[in-house]
Amino acid sequence: MMKDKWNAPPGFRSTKSAPTSPAKPLGISRTRYESFHVAYKVPVGDTPYVRAKNVQLVDKDPERAIPLFWAAINAGDRVDSALKDMAIVMKQQNRAEEAIEAIKSLRHRCSDQAQESLDNILVDLYKRCGRLNDQVALLRHKLYLIQQGMAFNGKRTKTARSQGKKFQVSVEQEATRLLVLILSNRIPILYIFILTLNEIEL
């Protein structure tokens, strides 16, 4: 009996209870794995989108990340995030015009919830490219959506994020922000006054 016990494979127990599981080593490995993703803000997994984020954030190779985001979009993998991230990376690489065309041609693949974020990115891209008329037209469209009650997916507030912190934004605050953006582009004061009267009644 003792001989059989000594010849048994590692982890063998003669009782009927379940064998001891190497929980600690696996737990440590899993903790390190998760800590890596938290530190680099990279999602977990091995999908086209995750690979693109790894190249962007871990390898710090934005030019190589761009075609990987394209691949994620074509594969239907987290399309909302992939398109937004790709456009932002393109802007950082001084490829703002390409980012504008990418959003325009691909936004139909994104969810309704992503459209507002895409508009916000477009506003910034138009400013970067000096396309004032396009920027103002989009800002006016966003004001129109507020007037029609279609902004924030029909809600009066939304959760926004700034520097890692979440906070609530009302439609009134968003309307004010949009008007300030128009003012920053030096649109005549009378034009802003007309926008205020005709396009926003909160």
Side-chain angles (χ1 to χ4, degrees):
M1 180 75 175
M2 289 297 295
K3 183 177 180 182
D4 291 339
K5 183 175 181 180
W6 284 113
N7 289 336
F12 174 81
R13 298 177 66 181
S14 58
T15 64
K16 294 183 179 180
S17 60
T20 302
S21 174
K24 288 186 177 180
L26 287 176
I28 294 173
S29 176
R30 185 179 297 110
T31 301
R32 290 175 180 171
Y33 180 71
E34 291 173 352
S35 297
F36 168 83
H37 288 276
V38 170
Y40 285 98
K41 297 182 179 179
V42 176
V44 179
D46 186 28
T47 67
Y49 176 73
V50 172
R51 289 193 288 272
K53 292 297 289 184
N54 269 284
V55 171
Q56 177 199 3
L57 300 177
V58 181
D59 298 344
K60 299 187 184 303
D61 190 345
E63 284 295 339
R64 192 160 64 90
I66 290 172
L68 293 177
F69 282 125
W70 273 109
I73 294 168
N74 289 330
D77 181 27
R78 298 182 66 169
V79 177
D80 293 359
S81 297
L83 180 55
K84 288 185 284 188
D85 288 343
M86 184 177 71
I88 291 171
V89 172
M90 283 180 166
K91 185 189 76 169
Q92 294 169 346
Q93 296 303 109
N94 297 317
R95 296 169 59 178
E97 288 286 357
E98 291 181 63
I100 290 171
E101 295 308 314
I103 291 177
K104 285 184 173 182
S105 63
L106 296 170
R107 68 182 306 165
H108 68 279
R109 300 191 186 185
C110 297
S111 66
D112 292 340
Q113 291 73 23
Q115 300 304 318
E116 185 179 348
S117 295
L118 291 172
D119 281 342
N120 291 336
I121 295 172
L122 272 177
V123 168
D124 192 37
L125 290 170
Y126 285 143
K127 182 178 181 179
R128 172 67 67 90
C129 296
R131 294 170 58 170
L132 179 60
N133 291 338
D134 290 328
Q135 184 183 14
V136 172
L138 183 52
L139 290 172
R140 293 188 65 186
H141 174 69
K142 289 171 71 65
L143 283 169
Y144 173 78
L145 293 179
I146 290 177
Q147 179 198 12
Q148 298 299 313
M150 295 186 290
F152 299 180
N153 294 313
K155 299 179 181 178
R156 298 294 299 177
T157 61
K158 72 171 182 178
T159 301
R161 184 188 296 271
S162 178
Q163 298 180 347
K165 296 181 179 180
K166 293 182 179 180
F167 56 96
Q168 292 294 310
V169 177
S170 68
V171 288
E172 292 85 357
Q173 291 171 322
E174 177 68 2
T176 301
R177 185 185 74 86
L178 295 174
L179 289 172
V180 169
L181 285 174
I182 295 174
L183 178 60
S184 69
N185 285 303
R186 298 173 183 174
I187 305 300
I189 298 298
L190 178 60
Y191 182 50
I192 297 177
F193 181 69
I194 292 173
L195 281 177
T196 305
L197 291 179
N198 295 340
E199 296 194 29
I200 177 169
E201 298 175 359
L202 299 176

